[in-house]
Amino acid sequence: MAQRTVLVVLFDQVQSLDVTGPVEVFAGAERHTPGTYRISTASLDGAPVRTSSGLTVVPDRSLADVPDPDTLVVPGGQGTRSPDPRLTDWLRAHGPHVRRLVSVCTGAALLAGAGLLDGRRATTHWAYCDRLAREHPAVDVDPDPIYVRDGHVATSAGVTSGIDLALALVEEDLGRDTALTIARHLVVFLRRPGNQAQFSAQLAAQTACREPLRELQRWITEHPGADLGVETLAARAGLSPRHFARAFRAETGTTPGRYVDRVRLEHARRLLEDTGDGVEQVSRASGYGTPEAMRRAFVKSLGTSPAEYRRRFRPAPAH
């Protein structure tokens, strides 16, 4: 197998985890299967850079001295807000010639500034999606998934999603077992699918201001298999169904039905990932009632069936 080169671009005020997360994944793959990856870092002039957290990182070389890699990783950080024009020019010249062009977090802004995301679907950290869409209208910005792949370009959301994307690239190169072995070594609980939302249900929805609604949010999470219809939830909150629906949406930013859907999907995913329970048992425990109802929810939200989801994302037993 030919060794693949991975180049990570460095610049002042880069976010350190955007760099080290993917690097650790590819380095773990190289340790697992020697000769598969050669990883290097480079800055514009080959000079050390200071990350946004204050760490100093010394690159291997200057960008001017590196040949086009197989995989080019562009991290994010505060330094993406006013990038050096020379960096934008370098990306514009070299980005089209690599096999895989990857951004982590706000590194997508650097790719967009170089015109490399025009006409493509892309994502970035949720807090910067609106800005990316506003400043680069030729980019189809999707704020929901943790990473997006469009042709040879892959963009990921905030921080740790760069690890998820790197694991997906390693799986593409070396297979599922290798990627899951690396995930276990990094103590990554789960290699998440790219179309998983950036937020869990609890993070995606605001926490309600009033205690009865906050307590109800917790109760829904703990009882996904219960009757979670609006009438039942309203009774638990001591409100009329109409008043409850209005108050819940006003305080959480989502409807009770959408909140319940997210909670049930997350619960079902965890059971498929972490247990050997059958699909029928999982569907009942997660409040779907039938395997077919759960299958429809998975296909709608994740683009895959529960059985395929388990096959792809449940870690293989350790030997």
Side-chain angles (χ1 to χ4, degrees), residues 2-40:
Q3 190 176 52
R4 298 171 173 87
T5 55
V6 178
L7 175 65
V8 183
V9 175
L10 300 181
F11 48 87
D12 282 326
Q13 294 300 298
V14 69
Q15 181 155 283
S16 55
L17 192 56
D18 288 3
V19 175
T20 58
V23 164
E24 289 294 341
V25 171
F26 288 115
E30 170 62 21
R31 287 192 296 271
H32 182 273
T33 311
T36 51
Y37 293 106
R38 185 171 72 254
I39 308 153
S40 63

Side-chain angles (χ1 to χ4, degrees), residues 193-233:
N195 51 6
Q196 180 172 320
Q198 292 193 34
F199 292 126
S200 66
Q202 292 73 34
L203 289 177
Q206 305 164 33
T207 300
C209 298
R210 284 180 279 182
E211 179 57 34
L213 294 184
R214 282 203 305 273
E215 176 57 34
L216 186 64
Q217 284 179 287
R218 290 192 291 268
W219 188 85
I220 292 170
T221 302
E222 294 167 0
H223 300 85
D227 176 3
L228 300 180
V230 169
E231 292 79 7
T232 301
L233 295 177

Side-chain angles (χ1 to χ4, degrees), residues 157-179:
V159 193
T160 56
S161 59
I163 295 175
D164 296 295
L165 176 52
L167 285 167
L169 298 178
V170 168
E171 178 177 349
E172 178 182 278
D173 293 340
L174 304 178
R176 176 176 178 270
D177 289 344
T178 298

Side-chain angles (χ1 to χ4, degrees), residues 82-198:
S82 299
D84 189 316
R86 295 178 299 159
L87 178 56
T88 302
D89 290 343
W90 188 92
L91 290 171
R92 185 181 296 113
H94 295 267
H97 304 298
V98 300
R99 183 172 71 92
R100 293 189 301 212
L101 180 59
V102 177
S103 70
V104 182
C105 196
T106 54
L110 295 179
L111 299 188
L116 297 169
L117 298 183
D118 288 357
R120 294 186 184 275
R121 179 169 165 258
T123 195
T124 187
H125 189 289
W126 62 269
Y128 297 96
C129 283
D130 286 347
R131 178 177 177 177
L132 183 65
R134 184 174 62 253
E135 295 182 354
H136 302 280
V139 181
D140 178 12
V141 180
D142 188 340
D144 193 44
I146 59 171
Y147 61 82
V148 168
R149 301 190 67 178
D150 188 333
H152 81 294
V153 179
T155 53
S156 61
V159 193
T160 56
S161 59
I163 295 175
D164 296 295
L165 176 52
L167 285 167
L169 298 178
V170 168
E171 178 177 349
E172 178 182 278
D173 293 340
L174 304 178
R176 176 176 178 270
D177 289 344
T178 298
L180 290 176
T181 296
I182 296 163
R184 287 197 295 272
H185 280 297
L186 293 176
V187 200
V188 177
F189 177 69
L190 168 68
R191 187 182 71 69
R192 299 176 292 175
N195 51 6
Q196 180 172 320
Q198 292 193 34

